[in-house]
Amino acid sequence: PELPNNLPNTGTDSIPLNAPEPANSQNNNPDSATAIIAASQTRSSERLGDHNAESKLIDSVPAQAMTEVTTAIQAIERLDADNQIIDTDILAETYEKIARACETVQKYPAALSSLANAVTQSRALNQIQEAAVTWLDYPRRSAQGIVLIGKPGTTAKSQILTLDSGRILTISSKLSLPLAEKVVVLGRITKDPDKIEVDFTAPVLP
């Protein structure tokens, strides 16, 4: 399935980003997958605070889950490598891979950290954020995974995340959102699209 072809092409001036390093194209090899995820993990201090992943080892991530994350990271890097205006179909396919990876590796914070780092480093961060908003309401989602960036907050009853679009989402998680201007969250959409079950979160560093 594809997302509706209605995502605008905008710049990425809201957060200064570092260009990701190129990845090995052999994403079905567990060894190369480990190398790609580990490389992303070692770069995470550039963009993300070490919030809840430091005690988890990449070696503990099953090969299938590693492959899903590697596929998503490589799709993000291919999106960055395209110097032309980002095609909405390619953006939709990339986000779908990100969503699948979020769902597959929900129990492995080290892998989620690597994926979060790839997203926040991407030159297409704004477009990925816009795709996330579309994904929330897309009726033919192939996966319930999601990655979002927004401003954390609280109400009397729950934690919330306010997106750049102004949409407010309720956060369901044992994790506490970091005290930061912006945070990245990776998790799953619940039956209520305005309520997100969060498996990983970290501050996005300026």
Side-chain angles (χ1 to χ4, degrees), residues 19-186:
E21 299 172 10
N24 190 317
S25 62
Q26 300 300 318
N27 61 11
N28 59 351
N29 183 325
D31 292 334
S32 65
T34 301
I36 292 169
I37 296 176
S40 180
Q41 181 76 2
T42 59
R43 298 196 305 270
S44 64
S45 61
E46 298 175 7
R47 299 296 308 143
L48 304 176
D50 293 332
H51 187 63
N52 58 5
E54 55 267 28
S55 65
K56 301 294 184 179
L57 299 176
I58 288 297
D59 289 345
S60 68
V61 182
Q64 180 181 357
M66 289 167 59
T67 299
E68 288 275 7
V69 173
T70 303
T71 298
I73 290 174
Q74 290 179 330
I76 293 167
E77 292 177 346
R78 284 193 294 271
L79 199 66
D80 289 342
D82 189 353
N83 294 323
Q84 305 300 316
I85 295 176
I86 295 175
D87 182 87
T88 52
D89 289 338
I90 295 175
L91 177 62
E93 291 172 5
T94 298
Y95 196 88
E96 186 172 32
K97 291 173 182 176
I98 294 171
R100 288 176 179 170
C102 285
E103 188 171 59
T104 301
V105 300
Q106 59 187 264
K107 297 180 180 179
Y108 304 100
L112 289 170
S113 176
S114 296
L115 182 57
N117 186 55
V119 169
T120 56
Q121 282 191 10
S122 174
R123 298 184 185 97
L125 179 61
N126 277 6
Q127 289 92 335
I128 291 173
Q129 288 179 272
E130 290 159 2
V133 175
T134 302
W135 188 253
L136 278 169
D137 298 317
Y138 186 49
R140 293 185 294 164
R141 289 190 301 265
S142 60
Q144 301 307 309
I146 194 162
V147 58
L148 296 157
I149 291 176
K151 183 178 178 63
T154 58
T155 66
K157 295 183 179 180
S158 64
Q159 299 183 92
I160 60 172
L161 186 73
T162 302
L163 306 182
D164 284 349
S165 65
R167 185 169 180 173
I168 298 175
L169 304 175
T170 300
I171 300 300
S172 173
S173 177
K174 295 179 180 179
L175 303 174
S176 295
L177 296 181
L179 296 175
E181 182 63 27
K182 280 196 173 184
V183 300
V184 59
V185 300
L186 287 79

Side-chain angles (χ1 to χ4, degrees), residues 180-195:
E181 182 63 27
K182 280 196 173 184
V183 300
V184 59
V185 300
L186 287 79
R188 288 155 289 139
I189 302 169
T190 65
K191 291 182 179 179
D192 178 356
D194 286 321
K195 186 175 183 179

